[in-house]
Amino acid sequence: MDVTKLTIKQLMDAMDAGELSSAEATRATLDRIKECEDLGAYVTVCEKEAMAAAERADKARAEGRRAPLLGVPVAVKDNICTEGVRTTCASRFLENYVPPYDAFVVKKLKEAGAVIVGKTNMDEFAMGSGSEYSAFYRVKNAIDPERVAGGSSGGSACAVASGQAFAALGSDTGGSIRQPASFNGVTGLKPTYSAVSRNGLVAFASSLDQIGPIARTADDCRRVYNVIKGHDAGDSTSYAGDLDMGEHITSLKGRRIGIAREFFPDALGGKVREAVEKAIKFYEDGGAEIVETSIGSFDMALACYYIISSAEASSNLSRYDGVKYGRRAEGCKTIDDVYYKSRTQFFGAEVKRRMMLGNFVLSSGYYDAFYLRASKARTLIKRDFEAALSDCDALICPTAPTTAYKSGSNAEDPAAAYLGDVFTVPVNIAGLPALSVKCGEDSDGLPIGMQLIGRQYCEETLLSLAEIYEKGAAK
Ligand code: GLN
């Protein structure tokens, strides 16, 4: 038995039955991480802490205690704070930053008995779609190392796909959980905005950022999601109401699946289209009714996202000034020198691009034309999704227009990568939950993901719909 390929459920069952210990599973995971070092999925591996946590978990289990993730090796994206463990955001700026506290979600993982094996590589400050913008080394795709892992949570998705963790946390501002999950053939859930606390997540665009799980199955995602969700007074946008508005669907009869035509443009590649249409047919054959619908404001979403996210990033990242956090450039004589040199030396090109874009759209004379208009477009996009979803359980569409592309192919044209976010960003703008699950492969054997989008706080609806698919479809 290859321990590192088990699902969380299989691992938990084996540990409960006494067939396997957490120490053994953690050892196997750490060995696998060493074997796969070349994939670049991790920035930091916490070998000692992980083995100690695994032994504690084994002891607790032997004493008859149980917890939802007791003894399960998991990874955490490197923009989520871990007490005493370096949290770099894959940036030179925070290369040596060791947080004095755990993020809310990390506390929750630890309370649930999870074993944190390390911190995963990503695009610097979560800005990117290929995990090629890490300041350290890029993440390679788990299926074809010449290709990108997707991003920005590329390390998390690659780790889960290659047996280097049973599940991993990612963050999703415009697709960063779903798109890498799709590119590596695993399952990723972006929760409803406000369902998971952002306390301890290094901010990119605060009105869009959400933390969520990447795992091998929808059920594994559910297990992690149920641990990390919940109200937290430490995040002013955290929701204190009912987070369980979804339904646990077991039969497709009478269910309604929405297909919004804008998500299937003429230019959509044959294999991706084919795979998603086949998955839709699966739901239809199972008894679901397929409903044609529309998101009329779809065309505005990409521009709206890049304006709002860059504006918020330019504000959030102004805190890295060489004074309060992270590194300071050497040889500075004045305070202006400290700001200028530190920011010039320690931010990568993509991060600088976003900050310049953000400052531009917020500057006087341009604010009304860009930021204000994007805010208005946001309202329209939200309304369109609400209307479409009022009539169905979920929308289905591709997660990304293509499968994983060759590393370096967007190097000359950074905006080309932005276009790949076209199906994921509308969901963040609307604040809705969405999940990516594998629904096929292209002719090179690269995974294709389909996206299920649901109503606010209806994660369970999406998870159970994905579960039905995983169990029923011959992929
Ligand atoms: N690819 C998108 C961007 O570059 C999304 C990133 C994210 O979700 N963190 O902004």
Side-chain angles (χ1 to χ4, degrees):
M1 166 173 74
D2 182 352
V3 173
T4 62
K5 293 222 165 74
L6 300 178
T7 63
I8 295 180
K9 176 170 177 8
Q10 290 166 335
L11 173 64
M12 288 291 277
D13 288 349
M15 290 193 296
D16 287 343
E19 292 159 7
L20 188 67
S21 68
S22 171
E24 285 166 332
T26 304
R27 185 73 267 158
T29 305
L30 291 166
D31 288 348
R32 184 84 186 129
I33 293 174
K34 272 204 197 89
E35 252 170 63
C36 297
E37 205 178 333
D38 196 46
L39 291 176
Y42 283 86
V43 173
T44 305
V45 181
C46 311
E47 176 152 3
K48 252 189 28 229
E49 296 91 331
M51 285 313 298
E55 272 150 32
R56 282 198 301 277
D58 284 334
K59 193 157 169 275
R61 187 172 258 109
E63 287 163 1
R65 276 187 278 156
R66 290 292 181 270
L69 297 173
L70 188 60
V72 178
V74 301
V76 174
K77 187 177 180 180
D78 212 21
N79 59 349
I80 300 175
C81 287
T82 39
E83 185 180 344
V85 175
R86 196 161 80 108
T87 298
T88 68
C89 293
S91 177
R92 293 282 168 214
F93 228 124
L94 295 178
E95 200 168 354
N96 305 314
Y97 174 63
V98 178
Y101 70 103
D102 276 332
F104 178 86
V105 290
V106 171
K107 271 194 210 132
K108 288 283 179 190
L109 284 180
K110 287 182 178 171
E111 279 165 24
V115 172
I116 297 174
V117 290
K119 305 294 298 285
T120 52
N121 199 3
M122 53 186 279
D123 287 297
E124 183 177 6
F125 284 103
M127 297 171 189
S129 308
S131 296
E132 295 176 286
Y133 299 144
S134 164
F136 308 132
Y137 35 84
R138 77 174 183 94
V139 185
K140 296 178 180 167
N141 186 287
I143 288 87
D144 176 355
E146 295 208 342
R147 295 179 184 263
V148 297
S152 63
S153 313
S156 293
C158 171
V160 170
S162 55
Q164 303 183 67
F166 288 82
L169 296 187
S171 67
D172 192 313
T173 304
S176 279
I177 288 175
R178 292 159 284 159
Q179 184 258 26
S182 162
F183 279 14
N184 289 278
V186 290
T187 306
L189 171 70
K190 181 207 97 74
T192 309
Y193 184 78
S194 80
V196 177
S197 169
R198 290 178 294 108
N199 179 4
L201 169 69
V202 178
F204 163 10
S206 310
S207 76
L208 302 162
D209 298 341
Q210 266 298 279
I211 296 171
I214 297 178
R216 297 196 190 110
T217 63
D219 175 58
D220 284 358
C221 279
R222 175 191 290 124
R223 287 165 189 263
V224 178
Y225 175 62
N226 283 338
V227 164
I228 61 172
K229 72 181 185 190
H231 181 247
D232 172 23
D235 170 357
S236 60
T237 60
S238 168
Y239 186 57
D242 184 8
L243 292 175
D244 298 311
M245 311 264 280
E247 271 179 84
H248 182 71
I249 297 176
T250 50
S251 158
L252 294 173
K253 298 236 157 42
R255 295 294 161 181
R256 291 167 69 81
I257 302 284
I259 307 299
R261 68 183 76 91
E262 294 80 6
F263 284 88
F264 294 84
D266 291 342
L268 183 67
K271 275 287 171 189
V272 174
R273 176 191 295 277
E274 227 174 75
V276 178
E277 282 176 353
K278 207 169 142 210
I280 293 167
K281 182 87 176 27
F282 165 86
Y283 286 105
E284 191 174 18
D285 290 348
E289 192 179 331
I290 306 301
V291 190
E292 281 231 19
T293 178
S294 167
I295 304 290
S297 54
F298 176 85
D299 281 349
M300 299 181 208
L302 198 60
C304 173
Y305 168 80
Y306 274 94
I307 291 170
I308 291 177
S309 66
S310 302
E312 293 185 21
S314 69
S315 163
N316 273 325
L317 272 64
S318 62
R319 65 177 60 120
Y320 306 102
D321 54 9
V323 179
K324 298 185 288 291
Y325 301 90
R327 293 172 67 183
R328 173 182 302 180
E330 282 173 27
C332 300
K333 295 208 172 56
T334 64
I335 185 72
D336 283 345
D337 238 18
V338 170
Y339 296 159
Y340 181 77
K341 287 193 176 145
S342 303
R343 290 171 72 80
T344 304
Q345 280 177 28
F346 302 137
F347 280 133
E350 182 62 24
V351 175
K352 286 177 183 160
R353 191 176 296 123
R354 305 286 178 115
M355 289 190 293
M356 286 191 279
L357 202 60
N359 278 307
F360 175 76
V361 299
L362 289 173
S363 57
S364 78
Y366 295 102
Y367 180 92
D368 289 4
F370 292 106
Y371 188 75
L372 195 65
R373 278 176 80 191
S375 305
K376 288 179 181 165
R378 184 175 196 161
T379 307
L380 297 178
I381 294 164
K382 263 191 193 151
R383 275 191 208 147
D384 283 351
F385 272 103
E386 255 163 48
L389 284 160
S390 67
D391 188 36
C392 53
D393 296 287
L395 301 175
I396 293 187
C397 64
T399 303
T402 65
T403 51
Y405 44 88
K406 287 255 163 71
S407 174
S409 44
N410 286 327
E412 301 301 313
D413 181 10
Y418 300 175
L419 296 177
D421 299 333
V422 63
F423 299 142
T424 47
V425 298
V427 175
N428 300 71
I429 292 170
L432 300 173
L435 169 156
S436 178
V437 60
K438 183 178 171 184
C439 70
E441 287 174 6
D442 69 7
S443 41
D444 294 321
L446 297 166
I448 297 168
M450 70 164 151
Q451 181 173 223
L452 280 81
I453 306 170
R455 288 192 284 267
Q456 276 199 317
Y457 311 116
C458 290
E459 280 76 2
E460 183 50 39
T461 308
L462 304 181
L463 289 163
S464 51
L465 281 172
E467 217 174 356
I468 292 176
Y469 179 78
E470 287 170 343
K471 289 188 179 144
K475 280 184 230 171

